[in-house]
Amino acid sequence: MDLVRESGGLAAGLVELRRELHRDPEVGLVLPRTQSKVLDAVAGLPLEISTGREVTSVVGVLRGGRPGPTVLLRGDMDALPVVEETGLAFAAENGNMHACGHDLHTAGLVGAAQLLSAHREELQGNVVFMFQPGEEGLGGAGYMLREGLLQASGDKPIAAYAVHVWSLAAKGLFQTRPGTMMAGSNQLHITVHGRGGHGSTPHTTADPVPVVAELVSALQTYVTRRVNVFDPVVITVTQLSAGVAINVIPNSAKLGATVRTLSNETFTQLSQELPALAESIAKAHGCTVDAALNLQYPVTINDADRTQHAISELTTLFGPEHVEPIANPLMGAEDFSMVLQEVPGTFIMLGARPDDVPAGEAPSNHSSIVRFDDEVLPLQAAALAQLAVSHLT
């Protein structure tokens, strides 16, 4: 197999598919138009296709010419509710945007399916292609797992891989690391219950507003005094709400924060101690609270053996100048973490910064002006295909 050369021959079709997806982005767990495009793109390939019951997922199973293990490859399909401002000829105009590059992930996985289908008889085992909706905060991977993703081929996969583009790294650079790759994403919700009244007589009330104000600072102090500096945490308060009328002390006030953790142990600690912190501060002001730290996405943990295997395979395929270890985990989160809790595998970043964007000026993923160079599509397809082949030949 010469997967790099073969993927180059698919490049034009993959770019066309990616741009078609980019023009028509859909948000959430139900992506009917995107699902239809994927089904059309894989039609004619020797895949066993199934679609989701609760969500518009697509699962394709390629059975090799000889029996053997199963490998899972993931590509997410959903966009973000961001108004695109890139000025691209194929920019979206429906108020949504593929600002995280999932259009490339979808097209790249289609490319991998095409490559592997062409070599079906040479494979000793099966490949599961996971086309997933709802990665952006809705846990689409969890729906697919509950609907039997890991049993799609009849055997639980022995390895799982996903490649995610990002705009901050040079085009064509693969980056990953063993162990913790991305943070867990958690949501802290606090409602402070007091006793409202007239703004001119606060002494007759139990004012919840100073409580949430104090909590904003207390949460940051908590991180610096209660959390191991070598197992860092990020707490960012993003929501504060209280009252309507300017001369009325409200009965309640609310705080919301995103909490990023890099270990399951730290999440357990915070889930106990943050509500207790809120309760103590509220009690000092004569108020009560409802407080909870809710798990959104677990920590993305790359299997050490699978990661070293992936680095070796990608280095052989593309050369050492195109593969680089990441020194530290990324504080973003991924629901591929749910798959990696069940199957040893690796989550890999792929640089897709266009040549005309200076390294220090590249907008980040999720920006309304971020652009990804679709020249990486054949690289992504070849990388995913090779990672599957490496276990099946």
Side-chain angles (χ1 to χ4, degrees):
M1 300 180 197
D2 187 348
L3 294 174
V4 173
R5 179 186 59 79
E6 294 172 35
S7 67
L10 301 175
L14 298 181
V15 169
E16 181 180 358
L17 173 59
R18 180 259 166 152
R19 295 186 179 190
E20 183 181 353
L21 292 165
H22 193 92
R23 288 188 187 96
D24 187 22
E26 295 178 286
V27 172
L29 294 165
V30 179
L31 319 173
R33 300 188 304 278
T34 303
Q35 183 189 55
S36 178
K37 292 180 178 70
V38 169
L39 292 172
D40 288 344
V42 299
L45 298 180
L47 304 180
E48 300 170 11
I49 297 292
S50 60
T51 55
R53 297 184 298 273
E54 291 188 74
V55 300
T56 53
S57 58
V58 177
V59 176
V61 178
L62 177 67
R63 299 197 182 275
R66 292 168 292 164
T70 294
V71 176
L72 183 146
L73 305 176
R74 196 287 299 262
D76 40 6
M77 305 187 293
D78 58 319
L80 288 156
V82 172
V83 177
E84 183 163 356
E85 298 179 300
T86 61
L88 292 169
F90 52 93
E93 298 179 352
N94 65 356
N96 300 325
M97 180 185 174
H98 273 295
C100 203
H102 296 187
D103 50 337
L104 283 91
H105 304 167
T106 303
L109 187 57
V110 167
Q114 293 171 336
L115 290 170
L116 292 168
S117 293
H119 294 280
R120 174 177 173 272
E121 292 302 323
E122 301 166 60
L123 301 180
Q124 186 174 332
N126 313 307
V127 184
V128 173
F129 301 95
M130 175 189 179
F131 293 93
Q132 178 207 314
E135 190 281 325
E136 295 290 354
L138 298 173
Y143 286 87
M144 295 185 72
L145 289 168
R146 289 189 290 274
E147 291 188 356
L149 170 71
L150 301 185
Q151 291 76 45
S153 73
D155 296 307
K156 186 175 181 179
I158 64 164
Y161 298 102
V163 174
H164 196 302
V165 298
W166 66 332
S167 61
L168 302 182
K171 180 174 63 179
L173 180 64
F174 292 90
Q175 297 175 295
T176 190
R177 70 190 309 274
T180 300
M181 176 67 183
M182 299 188 78
S185 177
N186 316 287
Q187 298 178 342
L188 177 64
H189 296 283
I190 300 174
T191 300
V192 180
H193 302 284
R195 186 178 66 258
H198 201 288
S200 65
T201 55
H203 62 286
T204 66
T205 72
D207 190 348
V209 176
V211 179
V212 294
E214 187 172 332
L215 278 169
V216 173
S217 296
L219 289 170
Q220 305 309 313
T221 303
Y222 172 89
V223 169
T224 65
R225 291 296 177 271
R226 294 289 300 157
V227 175
N228 184 345
V229 69
F230 298 107
D231 187 7
V233 166
V234 173
I235 300 179
T236 302
V237 176
T238 55
Q239 297 174 327
L240 293 171
S241 62
V244 177
I246 198 169
N247 61 344
V248 176
I249 294 173
N251 289 316
S252 64
K254 296 182 179 181
L255 177 152
T258 182
V259 180
R260 305 298 170 115
T261 53
L262 292 178
S263 72
N264 296 327
E265 293 76 15
T266 299
F267 170 77
T268 299
Q269 175 189 339
L270 267 60
S271 66
Q272 299 168 355
E273 293 185 0
L274 293 184
L277 175 69
E279 291 169 6
S280 297
I281 292 174
K283 185 177 181 181
H285 290 264
C287 297
T288 61
V289 296
D290 294 320
L293 180 65
N294 300 320
L295 175 68
Q296 184 182 27
Y297 289 169
V299 180
T300 301
I301 301 176
N302 284 343
D303 179 80
D305 291 339
R306 293 289 183 263
T307 302
Q308 187 54 53
H309 176 78
I311 290 171
S312 177
E313 291 293 324
L314 295 175
T315 299
T316 300
L317 195 63
F318 298 110
E321 70 276 13
H322 290 284
V323 183
E324 179 180 276
I326 290 181
N328 299 304
L330 306 176
M331 296 311 292
E334 246 292 339
D335 74 350
F336 191 61
S337 57
M338 300 176 186
V339 176
L340 295 180
Q341 285 185 322
E342 303 293 332
V343 179
T346 303
F347 186 79
I348 302 162
M349 304 301 292
L350 171 58
R353 187 179 72 243
D355 292 335
D356 63 343
V357 178
E361 300 177 14
S364 66
N365 287 30
H366 290 213
S367 166
S368 64
I369 60 172
V370 68
R371 291 185 289 121
F372 303 98
D373 196 321
D374 47 24
E375 288 185 10
V376 303
L377 284 169
L379 306 181
Q380 184 178 5
L384 288 168
Q386 179 59 38
L387 290 172
V389 165
S390 67
H391 293 283
L392 304 180
T393 55

